Amino acid sequence: MLRVVCEGETGDGEGPLVTYRVQCYRHEAFVHEAVNSVLAQTYRPLEILITDDASPDRTFEIAESLAHAYRGPHRVVLFRSEQNRGILEHCNEALHLVRGEFFLWLAGDDVAEPRQAEQLVAAWREGGVSGVWSNHRIIDEQGRDLGPGLLEKHPYTLNLCDYADGRFLD
């Protein structure tokens, strides 16, 4: 199921179109905050792609309700798999829907800072690099902040080899 909920402003910004994908599966307890954090992004032009991998709980219904209530400048698209495919297959299933020149990915149990897209695009455009990413903060199920995911003096070079070797995964 694919539905464009809000057309938004996709070509009048000062930078490239960014697609910010919120990928969900069984995130009922968290998806409200995750979707709202992406809807609150300051960057324009922004396309928000909310995808759900056939969650058996209310994840999709919550995300859909937030998308329909949204009245801001961003383009909002909803996609729901007909059957559960798993993280990578679901990612691939909806990848053709990404229209942006720059792509951000957020899980349905994550929260983005309002200027994240703006700051990442600025770093990408300045640096002559093919990809950028930001640190993250870890919270528990009660929303308590447990600190940054990567410490300030981390030993990683933060390149794709680190990611491929699993040094970002816990």
Side-chain angles (χ1 to χ4, degrees), residues 58-75:
R58 294 188 58 247
T59 297
F60 183 75
E61 289 77 14
I62 294 167
E64 182 178 42
S65 175
L66 292 168
H68 281 291
Y70 178 70
R71 298 288 178 262
H74 308 313
R75 181 175 197 260

Side-chain angles (χ1 to χ4, degrees), residues 8 15 17 28 53-54 57 62-63 83 86-87 102-103 106 123 134 144 148:
L17 176 64
E28 180 177 6
D53 193 15
D57 61 8
I62 294 167
Q83 65 183 29
I87 293 172
F102 189 83
F103 174 69
L106 185 86
S134 59
R144 290 183 296 241

